Amino acid sequence: MNAIVLITGATAGIGKACAEKFAAAGYDLIITGRRKTRLAELKSTLESTFGIKVYPLAFDIQKRESVFSAIQELPEDWKNISILVNNAGLALGRDSFENADLDDWDTMMHTNVDGLLYMSRAVLPCMIKHKKGHIINIGSIAGKEVYENGNVYCASKFAVDAISKSMRIDLLKYGIKVTAIHPGAVETEFSLVRYKGDETKANAAYDGFIPLTAMDIADTVFYSASLPSHVCINELIITCTQQAGTYYFNKNAS
Ligand code: NDP
Ligand code: 8X3
């Protein structure tokens, strides 16, 4: 086996780009998400293109039992995970606090926060045993600054920021690295999911500027994971050149 990377939310966007990036560098991959067909297609493409091994795991990351059993049931030779990329996540709705859908709030907190916690706890015993490992959490600029109608999505990403900082302290004694990457606007399926399939609203989210691509973030994740063992990027905020915060954009720049 090559070194193993587990990437959550690899069926689309940033997670899929991370899978392509690590596969191209010769890592074996465990890829997760709910959409089985997409996982199977990605496995087939990456194995045939890069000659690596891919183990797909389809489950809902919100469900604690599903996360722990998926990891416990991995074949022994797949359990030695070197890098965990906690990427699966979503925003649902962009509504004012008093009107926002409570189910949307629950789904965001359960996915972005609980899912990341469960996955980290499920994978950690192996990293602790080997006194080696790297956990890379995908946060957001929304976890650094709140914005109007961002309420619970922002809260979930502030939680990712806090969890990343505290994990780094608690896991210091095991030599495990913890990195948080906080992207600004990245054009993926994110906005389509946020606006529940409304393509007009989703496309409008990127009007007037050139957003980051999923591969821009995958490059940054891969760079963070490729540094010498004594170097750990703690956190990194990355935006496109036309963005300087959750509110500040230089739109329609020539
Ligand atoms: P996409 O919608 O393109 O991809 C999201 C991924 O998360 C999919 O693979 C999806 O898989 C997975 N996912 C969502 N919910 C669940 C669930 N309950 N169980 C398992 N997997 C789940 O979005 P992005 O690639 O943009 O988002 C990736 C991460 O980046 C998220 O954490 C997001 O918050 C963060 N981010 C995104 C930014 C952006 O502008 N796009 C900016 C900053 C951060 P499936 O549907 O198959 O389950
Ligand atoms: C996604 C970026 O600004 O749309 O995390 O919340 S933003």
Side-chain angles (χ1 to χ4, degrees):
M1 298 282 298
N2 302 309
I4 298 168
V5 188
L6 190 159
I7 301 162
T8 68
T11 56
I14 295 169
K16 186 174 183 217
C18 286
E20 289 161 358
K21 185 80 192 174
F22 280 99
Y27 286 84
D28 289 330
L29 307 178
I30 301 169
I31 52 172
T32 87
R34 289 163 301 180
R35 287 171 284 182
K36 270 189 183 167
T37 312
R38 286 203 187 189
L39 289 172
E41 283 165 4
L42 187 60
K43 169 182 163 68
S44 160
T45 306
L46 296 180
E47 286 185 339
S48 60
T49 310
F50 300 110
I52 51 121
K53 295 194 209 73
V54 179
Y55 198 100
L57 286 175
F59 60 87
D60 185 339
I61 207 163
Q62 300 176 79
K63 297 187 177 145
R64 190 203 290 190
E65 294 311 322
S66 305
V67 174
F68 281 91
S69 61
I71 299 304
Q72 273 155 15
E73 286 162 19
L74 279 171
E76 268 324 297
D77 52 349
W78 279 96
K79 283 189 173 153
N80 188 11
I81 296 160
S82 301
I83 301 167
L84 166 63
V85 182
N86 277 317
N87 163 77
L90 79 175
L92 281 176
R94 191 157 173 177
D95 304 304
S96 189
F97 188 88
E98 72 284 11
N99 300 322
D101 186 314
L102 296 183
D103 289 337
D104 287 351
W105 282 3
D106 286 348
T107 304
M108 287 189 279
M109 294 303 286
H110 291 153
T111 310
N112 301 355
V113 183
D114 298 344
L116 180 147
L117 292 171
Y118 300 153
M119 185 53 74
S120 303
R121 282 293 299 268
V123 168
L124 264 171
C126 179
M127 290 185 174
I128 288 172
K129 188 168 131 198
H130 293 98
K131 290 204 180 295
K132 201 173 169 211
H134 195 167
I135 298 177
I136 301 178
N137 294 329
I138 306 299
S140 171
I141 196 167
K144 292 290 179 181
E145 303 166 46
V146 291
Y147 54 83
E148 194 176 7
N149 301 336
N151 43 67
V152 170
Y153 178 66
C154 294
S156 73
K157 291 299 183 175
F158 268 71
V160 172
D161 187 30
I163 291 163
S164 302
K165 285 174 173 150
S166 77
M167 277 172 110
R168 191 174 307 111
I169 295 166
D170 290 354
L171 302 180
L172 190 59
K173 54 187 172 290
Y174 304 113
I176 295 169
K177 299 188 196 186
V178 179
T179 297
I181 308 281
H182 300 288
V186 188
E187 191 163 11
T188 60
E189 293 178 10
F190 178 85
S191 293
L192 200 59
V193 171
R194 173 171 235 173
Y195 296 112
K196 303 175 181 175
D198 184 329
E199 290 191 9
T200 309
K201 281 189 184 168
N203 292 335
Y206 309 108
D207 268 355
F209 67 101
I210 301 170
L212 295 166
T213 65
M215 193 49 82
D216 293 328
I217 305 306
D219 286 342
T220 308
V221 169
F222 183 77
Y223 173 74
S224 305
S226 306
L227 292 166
S229 60
H230 68 288
V231 182
C232 176
I233 293 188
N234 285 212
E235 61 177 303
L236 202 147
I237 298 174
I238 171 169
T239 66
C240 67
T241 309
Q242 286 173 270
Q243 181 176 14
T246 53
Y247 261 111
Y248 298 101
F249 286 86
N250 178 20
K251 289 199 175 174
N252 301 312
S254 53

